[in-house]
Each structure stands twice: as C-alpha cells, then as structure tokens.
Amino acid sequence: MKTHLPSTLERAKKLRREMSLPEVLLWKVLKERPGDLKFRKQHPFGRYVADFYCASAKLVVEVNGIAHDMGDQSAFDAERDAWLQSQGLRVFRIPAREVLSDIDAAMAAILVAADASGPLPSVIWTATSPGRGGFALEL
C-alpha cells in the first residue's frame, strides 16, 4: 500500500533513526519474524507513520508511551485509528511499560492480534505476578 505523502516518508525515515527504547526492544524481536510474520518498522500510511506493520496480517502495532494519555493525543489517536481502519487495517495498541516489563507477554499479545480475524478484541493488561505483566483478551 503506497498511499503515503512524500513528507510522511521523510518523517518515517527520521523516526526509524530515533525510535524509543520500547520500540527498539520490540523491533529486536519483531525483525526475527516471530510466527513467520514479517514486520516493518516506522511504516508510512497517508499522513501517518505506524510504529510497526505486518502486511500479511494487515496489522498495525502501536507502542503507546505516556504521551498518548496527555492533551489531545487520545483524540488524534482515535482519528488516526479510524483512518487506518478505513484502509482495511487493524490497529493494536500496546503500552510501552508492558514492552519494557515483559517483552514475552507483549509478543504473545501481538501474535494473538496478528492471528485474529476481523476487528481486534480489547486487550486488558494485568499483573500476573510481582514485576511481570500479562494480558487477557476481552472478546
């Protein structure tokens, strides 16, 4: 899908060089093709840049840091998700703190999302043991 703007491609290139720590850690796992899935990092779509994208699953993975809870960011995220979904993509958001605290649980959640068909279920993060995160899918 090459529907991105030239300025978005330039921004994506810049973001690839300036990934956050949770994005870098997740990319180290995703680039190994878990579940035989190929992911791209900082992939441009229209005027947006997805943190990660798996074309075969039509899945966008977004790592949400604390900034996503501030100001108008949640409204921007909702608008962005709606546009991506209108392009036939599914969006999966994962908290950055969960990537940092338990990369295995984060990857398990991403693989479940990639395997799902249709709209993604809500993901609820819970503490499964002291110091370790986990997830439960709510259908």
Side-chain angles (χ1 to χ4, degrees):
M1 179 181 297
K2 294 200 186 247
T3 60
H4 57 269
L5 304 171
S7 60
T8 307
L9 181 58
E10 289 307 312
R11 194 167 78 251
K13 288 178 181 179
K14 181 179 184 225
L15 290 170
R16 287 181 198 128
R17 294 186 301 268
E18 300 174 358
M19 291 172 51
S20 68
L21 178 59
E23 290 170 340
V24 169
L25 295 174
L26 191 54
W27 177 241
K28 284 184 178 184
V29 178
L30 291 175
K31 72 180 181 180
E32 297 298 322
R33 295 184 176 218
D36 204 30
L37 296 170
K38 180 182 178 182
F39 286 85
R40 299 175 188 145
K41 63 181 177 178
Q42 304 301 334
H43 187 75
F45 288 106
R47 65 183 186 105
Y48 304 108
V49 178
D51 289 342
F52 302 101
Y53 174 60
C54 177
S56 64
K58 293 189 175 189
L59 178 68
V60 169
V61 176
E62 289 296 310
V63 178
N64 280 8
I66 193 165
H68 289 267
D69 297 330
M70 298 181 175
D72 294 337
Q73 189 62 44
S74 62
F76 175 81
D77 287 346
E79 174 187 311
R80 182 178 184 275
D81 290 355
W83 186 86
L84 290 167
Q85 290 166 354
S86 77
Q87 303 302 300
L89 303 172
R90 296 174 307 127
V91 180
F92 181 75
R93 292 186 172 275
I94 187 165
R97 70 182 175 279
E98 298 305 330
V99 173
L100 291 170
S101 69
D102 192 344
I103 193 76
D104 292 333
M107 274 309 309
I110 291 168
L111 291 176
V112 167
D115 193 43
S117 60
L120 289 176
S122 298
V123 176
I124 301 170
W125 289 90
T126 59
T128 55
S129 63
R132 294 187 54 95
F135 71 95
L137 296 178
E138 184 179 277
L139 301 175

